[in-house]
Amino acid sequence: MRWAGVGAAIIAATVDVLYLGILSTQGGSASQFLRVPFVAAFIALMAICAALSSVASAGRWRSLLLGVSAVGLMLLGYLTMFSIGLPLVLAGVLAGLGLIKTLGDARSSGESPGRAAVATAAGGAVLAVVVLLAGVSFTELAVRCPANGQEGGSGFSLLGGTYQYRCDNGALTISH
């Protein structure tokens, strides 16, 4: 089922290109300037992992790559369900189907390779969750103020809770 990795990669890459294209036409606040590049890079990384899984020869590598891409795409898809999330969830499900097939093949080839494939898939899944949640948290707190004028906002960081920020002529004030 190597086609599942290819399908997941194509869907994720297409969503990534459309995401960047749509956001480049919108004039939004530049205060949280790292969020869009992080999300775009994360989607691209998930697409690359899914694509590489289709050419990986060893079951462990394939299960690691599919574990990363399946969980990363499904979690990001869930978090962004009202914008770009649905196709990302679909791509994650495709990668998950490929992962199930890969783990089944590894288990049928013997007990030790099967356990190793499950362990690497689980490790990849945990890695994807940690990278996504940490990246979203850190990009939430990276605020850039315009040199002139005033701007403010509020948000919720997974690591720090709720916060408010205010920019006054280039000076940033954050309160929790």
Side-chain angles (χ1 to χ4, degrees):
M1 248 174 96
R2 292 178 188 237
W3 59 267
V6 172
I10 290 170
I11 293 170
T14 303
V15 169
D16 203 16
V17 168
L18 291 173
Y19 174 68
L20 287 173
I22 290 170
L23 289 180
S24 69
T25 63
Q26 296 176 350
S29 171
S31 61
Q32 292 177 326
F33 62 101
L34 293 177
R35 174 65 51 87
V36 171
F38 171 75
V39 170
F42 187 81
I43 295 171
L45 180 63
M46 297 301 105
I48 291 168
C49 286
L52 287 176
S53 73
S54 66
V55 296
S57 59
R60 282 187 199 173
W61 283 107
R62 192 174 308 124
S63 64
L64 172 72
L65 294 167
L66 286 170
V68 166
S69 62
V71 172
L73 288 168
M74 282 192 270
L75 180 58
L76 183 60
Y78 176 76
L79 294 175
T80 61
M81 186 55 72
F82 293 109
S83 59
I84 61 171
L86 191 58
L88 292 178
V89 169
L90 177 63
V93 168
L94 274 176
L97 291 173
L99 177 61
I100 290 168
K101 173 73 168 124
T102 299
L103 293 177
D105 291 346
R107 278 189 68 69
S108 66
S109 66
E111 191 169 318
S112 180
R115 286 186 181 164
V118 169
T120 57
V126 168
L127 178 65
V129 170
V130 168
V131 168
L132 179 61
L133 295 181
V136 167
S137 291
F138 292 135
T139 59
E140 179 75 24
L141 297 175
V143 178
R144 177 173 58 189
C145 289
N148 295 320
Q150 296 179 341
E151 183 177 320
S154 64
F156 178 79
S157 172
L158 295 173
L159 300 177
T162 60
Y163 69 93
Q164 295 83 33
Y165 72 91
R166 178 123 183 104
C167 295
D168 289 313
N169 295 321
L172 173 65
T173 305
I174 297 178
S175 58
H176 295 274

